[in-house]
Amino acid sequence: MMRLPRFRYFAPRTVADAAALLAEHGRDASLVAGGTDLWPNMKRRQQTPTRVIGLRGVAPLHGVGGAADRGFDVGAMTSLTAVEHHGALGAGWPGLAAAVRLISTPPLRNMGTLGGNLCLDTRCNYWDQTLEWRKSIDFCLKRDGKVCWVAPGSERCWAVASSDTAPVLCAIGAEVTLASVDGERRIAVRDLFRDDGIEYLNKRSNEILTTIHLPAPRGWRVAYRKLRRRESFDFPVLGVAAAARIAGGVVEEARIFVTGAGSRPHDASAAAAVLVGKRLDDRDAVAEAADRAARIAKPLDNTDFALGWRKEMARHHVTAALADLA
Ligand SMILES: Cc1cc2nc3c(=O)[nH]c(=O)nc-3n(C[C@H](O)[C@H](O)[C@H](O)COP(=O)(O)OP(=O)(O)OC[C@H]3O[C@@H](n4cnc5c(N)ncnc54)[C@H](O)[C@@H]3O)c2cc1C
Ligand code: SF4
């Protein structure tokens, strides 16, 4: 049985108190939301904070506010189940609820939060192993080692972005608020991620993600297609989110984001551009968009399935996501 290492737990009641604790304890501390990512990682000694700051008791971080005509503010601690079943949010952005439904299992969605999902650690076959397993191959760049076992000549870590909501929220044009003892700032979700398997978030270590802001749909729709081995539950090894603003059957604006094929969700804007001014039943336009998106998807051999096949599946998943939108 894998046990948690020893740590001191803090249970602040306000964002200000949580931010003060984070500032005081610096990189010795981790935030925990639902713990469905952090606790297993700590058991595997991938992360070993000596201080853990629980956000469960911070009431303002829970719940969904707003409405479809003015946009939604979702507290970072809102559970995935609550996001999945929220009536107005589901009516405004049904594609988000559909994507959330594809995450892990109902018990994990009851515990897991939307904020935690956005901040989810990157994944890799050489990383998501027990301490003993990683020690036996002499660790890797992500922690305690000197080499990347996926690309031994590489100076960077290629661990893979694996959040299902991240590409969807990027495609929607959502934003997040980050709070710290220095104040608050608001950035686009697409700018939250960095192309680096280790420092994968553009978030300072003293910042707390407090709110996810979704714009009013105003004619936009979003769809998400996910590739995984087991349909019952599994992380995405490829995910495609496609969003479009459609009027009179014609695409006025479009965005496509591909995840599971790099350390952050890739913006396939060149693929989305092909669709503007076209109908989604225009097979040539859809095929061109799918080809372009597949070109930017550069999966490595560090998750499930053969990488060549995953790349090929990017084309199919873009086509399927656009069919869902149509
Ligand atoms: C068996 C299994 C299957 C899974 N399948 C999927 C899947 O299919 N798709 C998927 O996307 N995920 C999957 N997950 C991962 C996880 O359950 C979800 O991503 C979940 O949403 C994580 O949320 P959490 O609240 O539990 O995060 P936590 O574990 O609490 O935190 C995750 C990380 O985010 C940081 N963090 C949390 N909240 C904040 C905040 N407000 N501000 C700043 N940092 C924060 C934590 O410090 C930690 O580093 C799976 C997990 C398991 C165990
Ligand atoms: S991509 Fe390389 S450095 Fe990163 S976790 Fe995997 S083996 Fe380690």
Side-chain angles (χ1 to χ4, degrees):
M1 183 204 281
M2 290 192 294
R3 291 183 184 281
L4 283 168
R6 292 184 74 81
F7 60 90
R8 189 164 165 209
Y9 185 78
F10 296 88
R13 296 278 161 192
T14 65
V15 173
D17 286 351
L21 284 164
L22 206 47
E24 181 186 346
H25 296 291
R27 290 196 176 262
D28 293 337
S30 271
L31 296 168
V32 69
T36 61
D37 184 46
L38 186 75
W39 299 137
N41 290 357
M42 285 177 66
K43 287 181 180 177
R44 292 188 291 252
R45 305 307 192 259
Q46 290 160 298
Q47 288 150 31
T48 48
T50 54
R51 310 278 188 275
V52 176
I53 302 164
L55 297 175
R56 182 160 299 276
V58 183
L61 297 183
H62 294 259
V64 179
D69 59 348
R70 57 182 198 278
F72 298 94
D73 294 325
V74 184
M77 283 299 295
T78 308
S79 73
L80 294 172
T81 301
V83 171
E84 182 188 348
H85 295 292
H86 192 276
L89 186 57
W93 289 108
L96 175 64
V100 167
R101 209 166 294 130
L102 297 176
I103 296 173
S104 54
T105 61
L108 285 162
R109 292 198 295 275
N110 288 342
M111 289 302 293
T113 64
L114 190 60
N117 191 249
L118 282 178
C119 298
L120 179 70
D121 193 13
T122 50
R123 296 180 61 77
C124 168
N125 285 344
Y126 296 89
W127 171 245
D128 294 301
Q129 305 289 346
T130 61
L131 177 68
E132 290 72 24
W133 192 100
R134 286 181 288 121
K135 200 173 175 181
S136 72
I137 59 162
D138 199 17
F139 299 109
C140 75
L141 286 180
K142 194 154 155 79
R143 184 170 175 172
D144 298 332
K146 294 191 172 59
V147 69
C148 169
W149 294 111
V150 178
S154 173
E155 290 183 0
R156 60 159 284 190
C157 164
W158 296 91
V160 171
S162 304
S163 155
D164 281 305
T165 66
V168 175
L169 291 166
C170 288
I172 282 174
E175 298 180 351
V176 288
T177 294
L178 301 169
S180 73
V181 286
D182 303 322
E184 284 188 351
R185 63 187 179 115
R186 186 162 158 164
I187 61 169
V189 172
R190 59 187 297 161
D191 295 330
L192 180 64
F193 303 104
R194 302 182 70 228
D195 194 14
D196 184 313
I198 299 171
E199 298 291 341
Y200 56 93
L201 289 179
N202 269 321
K203 184 182 84 56
R204 295 175 205 125
S205 59
N206 69 346
E207 285 180 321
I208 301 168
L209 195 162
T210 59
T211 316
I212 300 100
H213 309 277
L214 282 79
R218 297 192 209 290
W220 280 89
R221 298 177 214 159
V222 70
Y224 181 63
R225 283 287 179 138
K226 169 175 179 173
L227 177 68
R228 55 182 168 173
R229 184 172 290 269
R230 296 167 294 188
E231 285 300 314
S232 53
F233 82 99
D234 249 334
F235 283 91
V237 289
L238 180 81
V240 173
R245 186 160 58 84
I246 300 167
V250 174
V251 175
E252 294 187 327
E253 280 184 83
R255 301 185 198 113
I256 298 174
F257 281 80
V258 179
T259 201
S263 297
R264 69 170 171 199
H266 281 302
D267 181 356
S269 50
V274 173
L275 302 168
V276 176
K278 305 278 173 31
R279 300 177 67 87
L280 287 176
D281 57 6
D282 180 332
R283 288 185 177 197
D284 291 339
V286 168
E288 175 63 17
D291 278 347
R292 288 189 183 197
R295 245 172 268 150
I296 68 137
K298 294 191 171 57
L300 282 170
D301 201 7
N302 58 351
T303 62
D304 201 1
F305 296 129
L307 62 103
W309 186 73
R310 277 162 59 211
K311 187 169 172 64
E312 176 59 26
M313 288 305 284
R315 190 174 288 112
H316 292 281
H317 276 53
V318 172
T319 308
L322 293 175
D324 292 344
L325 279 186

